[in-house]
Amino acid sequence: MREINFSKKTYYTVVWIIIAIMISGVFVDNPRIGKLEVGYITHCILVVILSICLLLYPKKSTNFLRITIIIVASIFFYTLFIFYPETFSTFIFLCLIPALSILYFDSRLFYFSLVFNFVSTTFIFLFIMVLDKGHLYPHIEQDLIGNFANFIVSQIIIYFIFYLMNVRIKKLQLYYEQIQQSERLKTTGQLSAAVAHEIRNPLTVVSGFLQLFKQDSTLSEEQKGHCTLMINELNTAEQVISQFLTLAKPDKEKVTEAVDVKLILQSVTDLLHSYGHIHDKSIELNVNGDCRISANHIEIKQLLINIIKNAIEASKMGDIIQVIAESEKNFVVIKVIDHGCGMTEEEIATLGTPFYSLKSKGTGLGMMICFSIVKKYKGKIEFQSSKGEGTTVTVRIPSI
Ligand code: ADP
Ligand code: MG
């Protein structure tokens, strides 16, 4: 976005008005009219060049033409000031010169014209003070300091307008880039979700037939072992796909409701018991106070299942996993404490990276899902862990 966007029709209307005013400046009530003076001829030539450049610009929006317009317009303003000293208002044009480059939004050109204008106008003021002494420019000489101060203030104001516009445009650019990026991610996500979904069906069929083959009595023990290996591998692939699909599901399908963390925790612990994840390990559940949050209950269930499952998998036989939930100020705090293998600081830092898993049958997607769910509900997830001693996972989600 280099320049302020005009429709061509508006641009030409404005340009024709400007050309009409410039031409009337040459012919209407001009004191130099008819006299072949340098000033008057320069004035006429500049009006022609500037008009042609302005009319050409929409057809040839090149950098060269942009710079030419700004330079010719600046020279035109100086010409008016120098050759029509009796017209006081030409001084206003000098103040406005840097604003021309704002129209064509070019920062290098802007800074150049700001500095150049400052230097040349300072020389003009020095000329009026030392040589002219109010002969040609009495209106400026009468209050030289005041006029110069006003000129400086006008340049500062123009600089601020440019600076603020620049900041806003940069922010907008960043915003559009982010939107484009997230659109791209969304499309890729949807596409991969569709592919993943299609892969799941053939996997289930193959896995079913392998189970059948395995029961065939003519197969040797070695062949049955191979079948088991294949079934296990297919199960892992199926798990990766299911986890991935939970991530890719569109947000529209996930309604937010009041969720009682106590009920969810009870159902999660029951589920993990009945799925046989706990062999000789038990879960101790402790919920204090009213722990209600505003979320989607399926997502909160996914979050807690992933964390508690990891704790169970990290624990040794006979271990107890403690799950504590309590309400603290404006948050519901859930702690999952295990005394299992623990993690090093580097391992903790790697959590949430897709497919990072230290387990032979792990998918490495669980933590990524947890991070995205916690982030969605403006919560926090923390890990305290020491290798060989155990881990405490703390989740904080705003309560209602
Ligand atoms: P997965 O469980 O499929 O391996 P996760 O994303 O759930 O994937 O976890 C990633 C890794 O983080 C695990 O493989 C494990 O090494 C480590 N991890 C997660 N939770 C714990 C925990 N409570 N104790 C020890 N290690 C853990
Ligand atoms: Mg896991």
Side-chain angles (χ1 to χ4, degrees), residues 98 109-119 155-156 158-159:
L109 209 59
F110 172 77
Y111 289 118
F112 173 74
S113 73
L114 193 73
V115 173
F116 182 77
N117 198 39
F118 176 75
V119 174
Q155 303 304 284
I156 293 172
I158 289 175
Y159 170 74

Side-chain angles (χ1 to χ4, degrees), residues 345-359:
E345 285 201 4
E346 290 83 51
E347 282 169 8
I348 295 177
T350 326
L351 288 177
T353 315
F355 306 112
Y356 164 72
S357 176
L358 294 180
K359 299 166 195 167

Side-chain angles (χ1 to χ4, degrees), residues 239 243 305-311 313 356-357 359 362-367 370:
Q239 253 185 44
Q243 300 248 37
I305 287 179
N306 274 311
I307 297 172
I308 301 173
K309 226 174 111 210
N310 278 349
E313 286 160 357
Y356 164 72
S357 176
K359 299 166 195 167
T363 64
L365 286 173
M367 278 301 116
C370 293

